[in-house]
Amino acid sequence: MKVRPYFIPCVCTLLAATTAFAATPDPARTRSYIDHAWNTLTRSVDECRALVDPKVPSHSIVYLPAQVATPASLAASARRCRVKVENLPAPIRHLGDIDPTKLPAQGLLYLPYPYVVPGGMFNEMYGWDSYFIVLGLVADHREALALDMVNNALYEVEHYGGVLNANRTYYLTRSQPPLLSAMMTAVLEDPASFKDAAAKKAWLEHAYPLAVRNYEVWTRKQHLAGDTGLSRYFDYGHGPVIEAQNSDYYVGVIRWLLAHPSENPGYLIKAPQHPDAAEAEKLQTTSCDVTASKVCAGDWLDGYRLTADYYLGDRAMRESGFDTDFHFGPWGGSTHHYAGAGLNSLLYRYERDLHDFATELGKTSDAERWAHAAEARRAAIDKYLWHADQGRYMDWDFVTGKASTDPYLTMFYPLWAGAASKQQAAALVKQLPLFEHKGGLAMSTRDTGAQWDAPFGWAPTNWIAAKGLDDYGFKTDAVRISCEFTGTIDRSFAKDGTIREKYNMVLGNADVKITAGYKTNVIGFGWTNGVYLKMHQLIDADGGCPATAPARGSAP
């Protein structure tokens, strides 16, 4: 790709800055970067830089909900930034109510409050990133901005059908891991979030029904994992995702499947490169609509196209946040076939949070309903996902009726959610050596080349595991993992003065070489900043990192 001239000074600046950093890791320098980064990553629709979409370059449009008048500040910035402001064509109650492919152009979805973006090409407010960002903002005493983030998420539920993958129109068909109730809890538990108890209660009275509506995203038929009583990831769109600018990614999937025929779960069908009208009509059902999508039309290699079911799995993978992984099938193509330990643990915690919110508001019958829902989900988790003989949680393919045999770091989510018994937790902690390396916890035990597999590790999953271990009394393990992961961030920052999206857990640095899917290691980075601060709180509460690492799986 040709580099635009105005990028060159930025690159030179970064290279020059690199020499200014010492090779010795210094947490104080990392901390200073994070303090500055909150400002550089904060966006508002009233400023021009928020309107740019590096993923889909085009003339910018800001969409307001149907029948919502244009705020004066937005009208002013639209004139200044030379962008259009339009209303969505109809009110949205549920995800998928509007087909974004039918819009005249893709654009930014209006949010009324400032928000923190992850960084790099991710220049909008993301669903599950926002929880870890909120944790960091609260830890950094930026309570007003943390509350703005949560209020924006509630606005998405009210006007766009649920907490979105992010606030762009092409995300109107999917959500992300359900952490809204946890975001609400983070600000509710911070005394500085509200001026007094009355304001706090008034806010919760407004937020509670929206939190319930967002929970219902995950209990609609399309998000249910068969008759298991559990949920799955699902996207209401069809075919290749709109944000794909060309067919390179999907052709890469076909190429890999052709090169690994024994690992192909049935994602390919024979089809012509240039179908006639009858063949094109058939492909709308068996693959995708070649007449409506240039990307779909180009998704062909050596006589093969991808199946419609693969595209559903690909979309579900993106809702899961694990894009791309090989745990839920090659390239995540079977994600929608799984009742995952991660998702269902998050929903168990969500149900417990709704119980607590209802209790706080004096809604006794609601509280009882949420308690029953949580217990039913925990029973289903134990039935389908817990394997006592292995001492671990494993994801359940409800289509084939088989458990995954591929260990994944999300097996620790039940600890964060409080869904495990003490006996289950004691068994589960013995699984840490499967994932733990010099730099922290890797996602899996398989090096597939995908960014959400080994040897790579991410801030959100390292935090969820560490917090869960700490909550169950395995403090030594929680502190050790936190020291490993923050040490990786410090070492990487000392090398080049940046904080990254993901890290190499085996090497304990930012040397991330992806061969399957997205290859960039984005600089920013919102959730890494937040987790770094939270891990240091956990470490400091225990007196700091030990000089030598204690044994793994230490008893509480």
Side-chain angles (χ1 to χ4, degrees):
M1 183 176 71
K2 197 170 183 179
V3 179
R4 297 177 186 176
Y6 63 77
F7 280 168
I8 295 175
C10 299
V11 174
C12 295
T13 301
L14 176 60
L15 293 174
T18 301
T19 61
F21 286 85
T24 302
D26 184 353
R29 286 181 178 270
T30 309
R31 180 65 182 78
S32 178
Y33 175 95
I34 292 172
D35 188 60
H36 178 68
W38 293 133
N39 298 327
T40 61
L41 295 174
T42 299
R43 300 286 184 270
S44 168
V45 293
D46 293 341
E47 56 184 350
C48 299
R49 65 174 180 169
L51 308 179
V52 176
D53 186 358
K55 297 179 299 305
V56 185
S58 63
H59 296 292
S60 296
I61 298 177
V62 179
Y63 284 95
L64 288 157
Q67 302 172 352
V68 170
T70 304
S73 59
L74 176 60
S77 64
R79 289 191 295 270
R80 185 176 69 256
C81 305
R82 298 181 180 179
V83 302
K84 292 182 179 180
V85 177
E86 297 186 6
N87 289 91
L88 291 171
I92 298 174
R93 174 69 186 185
H94 300 112
L95 295 176
D97 280 356
I98 285 181
D99 179 354
T101 65
K102 306 302 183 185
L103 295 173
Q106 303 305 312
L108 183 74
L109 292 167
Y110 171 79
L111 294 176
Y113 306 104
Y115 51 87
V116 176
V117 302
M121 65 179 176
F122 305 113
N123 194 37
E124 48 275 314
M125 179 173 152
Y126 278 79
W128 75 312
D129 292 64
S130 293
Y131 169 60
F132 304 96
I133 290 170
V134 164
L135 289 180
L137 292 172
V138 171
D140 214 8
H141 307 293
R142 296 174 183 252
E143 301 86 1
L145 185 53
L147 187 59
D148 282 342
M149 295 277 289
V150 183
N151 283 330
N152 278 333
L154 295 169
Y155 188 90
E156 287 186 349
V157 178
E158 184 174 8
H159 294 285
Y160 304 130
V163 174
L164 299 176
N165 189 148
N167 60 313
R168 299 280 180 191
T169 51
Y170 47 78
Y171 292 134
L172 282 168
T173 57
R174 66 176 178 265
S175 185
Q176 273 202 321
L179 287 158
L180 175 59
S181 69
M183 289 173 64
M184 291 168 58
T185 299
V187 296
L188 286 167
E189 291 182 345
D190 179 28
S193 295
F194 304 95
K195 65 178 182 179
D196 53 36
K200 178 179 176 180
K201 186 173 183 180
W203 182 85
L204 182 57
E205 286 175 340
H206 167 73
Y208 170 72
L210 293 172
V212 172
R213 189 191 299 184
N214 187 66
Y215 168 81
E216 291 170 349
V217 166
W218 303 95
T219 56
R220 290 176 70 190
K221 179 181 177 181
Q222 293 89 339
H223 270 97
L224 295 180
D227 59 0
T228 61
L230 299 170
S231 298
R232 64 168 178 170
Y233 290 109
F234 186 82
D235 181 303
Y236 289 90
H238 299 278
V241 293
I242 301 173
E243 64 269 27
Q245 289 298 286
N246 55 53
S247 299
D248 291 352
Y249 177 87
Y250 294 109
V251 170
V253 175
I254 300 172
R255 181 177 293 108
W256 188 95
L257 293 168
L258 291 174
H260 302 82
S262 64
E263 298 181 59
N264 176 16
Y267 297 163
L268 297 177
I269 58 170
K270 289 186 176 182
Q273 182 177 14
H274 304 291
D276 59 26
E279 291 166 333
E281 184 176 1
K282 182 179 178 181
L283 286 173
Q284 290 181 29
T285 302
T286 60
S287 179
C288 56
D289 191 346
V290 299
T291 65
S293 167
K294 291 182 180 179
V295 173
C296 168
D299 291 355
W300 179 93
L301 182 67
D302 294 343
Y304 288 92
R305 290 184 176 275
L306 294 161
T307 65
D309 193 64
Y310 164 79
Y311 285 117
L312 288 176
D314 174 71
R315 286 172 167 273
M317 172 197 68
R318 296 163 196 272
E319 182 174 75
S320 78
F322 298 146
D323 46 347
T324 300
D325 72 88
F326 276 54
H327 176 65
F328 298 106
W331 302 81
S334 297
T335 301
H336 59 316
H337 293 177
Y338 280 88
L343 172 59
N344 285 284
S345 296
L346 297 181
L347 288 171
Y348 172 82
R349 166 72 178 269
Y350 202 131
E351 289 156 349
R352 293 302 308 173
D353 287 340
L354 290 176
H355 165 270
D356 294 345
F357 299 157
T359 300
E360 179 71 19
L361 294 173
K363 299 179 181 292
T364 305
S365 61
D366 273 16
E368 291 177 355
R369 176 164 62 97
W370 296 124
H372 290 316
E375 286 309 305
R377 189 174 300 274
R378 180 157 68 173
I381 288 172
D382 284 347
K383 178 179 179 180
Y384 290 100
L385 308 181
W386 174 250
H387 296 267
D389 58 330
Q390 301 177 60
R392 63 180 70 159
Y393 293 91
M394 299 294 285
D395 302 312
W396 178 256
D397 184 338
F398 66 92
V399 175
T400 63
K402 296 179 181 179
S404 171
T405 57
D406 178 31
Y408 211 56
L409 189 57
T410 48
M411 68 171 64
F412 288 94
Y413 277 46
L415 300 185
W416 176 87
S421 68
K422 291 182 178 180
Q423 294 76 18
Q424 288 170 324
L428 188 60
V429 75
K430 297 176 183 177
Q431 306 295 320
L432 281 173
L434 291 172
F435 307 99
E436 191 171 358
H437 302 279
K438 171 185 176 180
L441 299 174
M443 286 301 302
S444 72
T445 60
R446 283 197 304 154
D447 183 346
T448 66
Q451 65 176 1
W452 285 97
D453 288 325
F456 310 123
W458 298 70
T461 49
N462 268 263
W463 172 247
I464 286 176
K467 182 64 167 66
L469 289 163
D470 190 55
D471 287 347
Y472 274 80
F474 295 95
K475 186 170 290 293
T476 302
D477 295 297
V479 170
R480 185 186 65 254
I481 290 163
S482 296
C483 290
E484 290 165 350
F485 192 75
T486 57
T488 296
I489 297 170
D490 287 333
R491 283 189 297 273
S492 175
F493 185 79
K495 182 178 179 181
D496 68 7
T498 65
I499 290 181
R500 301 282 177 158
E501 177 189 33
K502 52 188 173 281
Y503 293 90
N504 187 316
M505 298 292 90
V506 172
L507 300 178
N509 59 29
D511 186 9
V512 174
K513 293 181 173 62
I514 307 297
T515 59
Y518 308 112
K519 298 176 174 60
T520 304
N521 194 2
V522 178
I523 296 172
F525 196 83
W527 65 18
T528 312
N529 299 345
V531 166
Y532 183 89
L533 297 179
K534 291 299 294 181
M535 282 185 163
H536 267 288
Q537 284 186 341
L538 192 155
I539 292 166
D540 294 344
D542 197 59
C545 292
T548 58
R552 295 169 181 165
S554 51

